Amino acid sequence: MRAIALTEYGGPEVLRLSEVEDPVYGPEEVLIRIRAAGVNRADLLQREGRYPPPAPAPKVEIPGLECAGEVAAVGARVGLFRPGQRVAALVPGGGYAEKVAVHERLVWSVPTGLSSTEAAAVPEAFLTAYDALTQQAGLTAGQWVLIHAAAGGVGSAAVQLATWMGTHVVATVGSDEKAAWVRGLGADYVVNYRQQTFLEVIRAYTPGMDAVLDFVGQTYWEDNLESLVPGGVLVVVGTLSGDRVQARLGVLLGRRLTVRGTALRSRPLELRFALVQQFVRRVLPALAQGRLKPLVDATFPLSEAARAHAYMQENRVQGKIVLTV
Ligand SMILES: NC(=O)c1ccc[n+]([C@@H]2O[C@H](COP(=O)([O-])OP(=O)(O)OC[C@H]3O[C@@H](n4cnc5c(N)ncnc54)[C@H](OP(=O)(O)O)[C@@H]3O)[C@@H](O)[C@H]2O)c1
């Protein structure tokens, strides 16, 4: 099959299409004929050699954490899927390819209304956002959440999910164009951080945040903690600006704050199975009904993965970038 196999680390130019062996699927695995694969920020780090795939290391390193397509074949013990079925999956790697083998419990059927391109924009963004809002932050209807990088893939899914759950949202973005777009997703307040600090807005218009979903890290550390009400939770989902902070432990102690880190890909398989099961039961029906939407900003053919990465690096994305296969 053809795939983007990493033979060296570096800039977008190292993403080249090559011929590699077809994946071998195990008894509990589904072999997917990929039609579309989502691009994630983590893929950029992997390309640079800064985000190695989880052990055991694959023979050929192919990026790609999510995909959609049809079932090409199933292992002997697979009970949930049959060849020909349209599916999407959360994969630990291997999405930038024509085929991938994945455990059946990380796969789900694509609702009829969604194209493969839309379905491929869902797994990583919606599962990460859903998990962060519910399991990590424990948010419920009527509470407040601050969502950074809100026009990004995970951020835009988080704004939609939080609004759908009845949670009030303050969002941050880096341009007025993004701000208007995120307002359209249901956020109560959107801050263009180039013009105003989010802390000003939170203090002026809200009772304080019950939780913060942070992708930025270092530069937002102090203001994130200042945003929280007593007992609030800071969920560290990404560290785009760096991961070094100076902590004033007295602030955590005095206001009973919780700081939680989360990572999807390195989570034990059983925990990923459980999350997928919850997502299929609770969130997928809303995607099928159009109450939640996969938001695809741009598509590129798999052979142009380098252009897709360069585009993501420009930070202009509103929603997701998808590679078509
Ligand atoms: N923990 C997990 O399991 C998990 C899972 C998925 C993703 N993530 C992480 O979540 C983050 C977002 O991923 P994504 O795929 O949604 O990315 P994305 O679509 O590329 O969005 C990222 C956005 O972050 C904003 N940003 C703010 N500060 C930045 C900075 N210092 N450097 C670069 N961008 C900055 C930019 O928007 P503005 O111009 O509007 O600021 C950028 O467009 C990444 O750090 C990723 O690694 C973690």
Side-chain angles (χ1 to χ4, degrees):
M1 68 167 182
R2 288 177 312 157
I4 303 284
L6 292 175
T7 51
E8 59 180 322
Y9 297 125
E13 69 285 352
V14 303
L15 300 175
R16 288 182 293 265
L17 204 56
S18 59
E19 197 63 40
V20 300
E21 279 177 32
D22 273 18
V24 178
Y25 55 98
E28 293 173 354
E29 288 185 325
V30 169
L31 182 70
I32 299 175
R33 163 80 181 83
I34 298 175
R35 299 291 174 191
V39 176
N40 286 279
R41 203 82 190 183
D43 306 343
L44 275 59
L45 294 178
Q46 184 170 354
R47 188 200 73 214
E48 292 168 353
R50 296 197 287 143
Y51 190 55
K59 267 202 300 192
V60 183
E61 191 176 335
I62 301 170
L65 300 173
E66 56 190 351
C67 66
E70 300 102 41
V71 175
V74 295
R77 288 207 291 275
V78 167
L80 302 172
F81 299 97
R82 58 185 187 288
Q85 219 171 327
R86 291 182 66 229
V87 291
L90 182 73
V91 292
Y96 290 17
E98 290 179 330
K99 291 176 196 158
V100 70
V102 56
H103 196 287
E104 66 166 335
R105 288 170 69 188
L106 297 175
V107 179
W108 55 88
S109 288
V110 173
T112 34
L114 296 188
S115 66
S116 293
T117 300
E118 289 170 321
V122 168
E124 181 75 8
F126 276 83
L127 283 166
T128 301
Y130 176 71
D131 175 67
L133 292 165
T134 59
Q135 308 293 310
Q136 309 302 327
L139 284 162
T140 54
Q143 291 191 305
W144 283 85
V145 62
L146 170 63
I147 300 173
H148 292 304
V154 183
S156 59
V159 173
Q160 285 196 74
L161 282 162
T163 306
W164 172 71
M165 286 161 48
T167 306
H168 301 292
V169 175
V170 177
T172 70
V173 292
S175 75
D176 285 343
E177 193 190 333
K178 286 183 181 179
W181 187 74
V182 170
R183 232 169 259 124
L185 302 180
D188 297 71
Y189 298 99
V190 186
V191 181
N192 175 352
Y193 59 77
R194 295 185 203 282
Q195 290 171 359
Q196 220 177 353
T197 70
F198 59 86
L199 205 48
E200 283 173 64
V201 173
I202 285 169
R203 285 185 172 146
Y205 301 110
T206 78
M209 298 296 111
D210 296 287
V212 177
L213 255 58
D214 187 31
F215 309 94
V216 177
Q218 193 162 314
T219 56
Y220 283 177
W221 168 254
E222 296 248 347
D223 282 359
N224 277 340
L225 296 184
E226 283 305 313
S227 304
L228 290 168
V229 296
V233 186
L234 166 60
V235 184
V236 180
V237 190
T239 55
L240 286 164
S241 71
D243 65 358
R244 292 296 163 102
V245 298
Q246 218 172 9
R248 285 192 294 137
L249 297 176
V251 174
L252 299 183
L253 182 148
R255 307 223 327 271
R256 295 174 286 106
L257 303 179
T258 302
V259 179
R260 300 188 68 139
T262 180
L264 205 53
R265 189 170 76 157
S266 58
R267 200 173 292 193
L269 205 49
E270 283 301 328
L271 296 182
R272 271 178 284 154
F273 290 163
L275 179 60
V276 167
Q277 211 173 9
Q278 261 201 42
F279 162 83
V280 167
R281 222 178 31 237
R282 288 201 54 201
V283 182
L284 200 57
L287 282 157
Q289 292 155 8
R291 288 193 286 145
L292 296 170
K293 290 192 167 58
L295 302 166
V296 179
D297 175 299
T299 62
F300 295 84
L302 180 63
S303 57
E304 293 180 23
R307 277 214 306 134
H309 275 215
Y311 180 53
M312 181 170 265
Q313 252 162 246
E314 288 171 16
N315 289 345
R316 286 193 290 126
V317 178
Q318 295 182 172
K320 292 282 296 185
I321 301 172
V322 175
L323 301 172
T324 53
V325 186

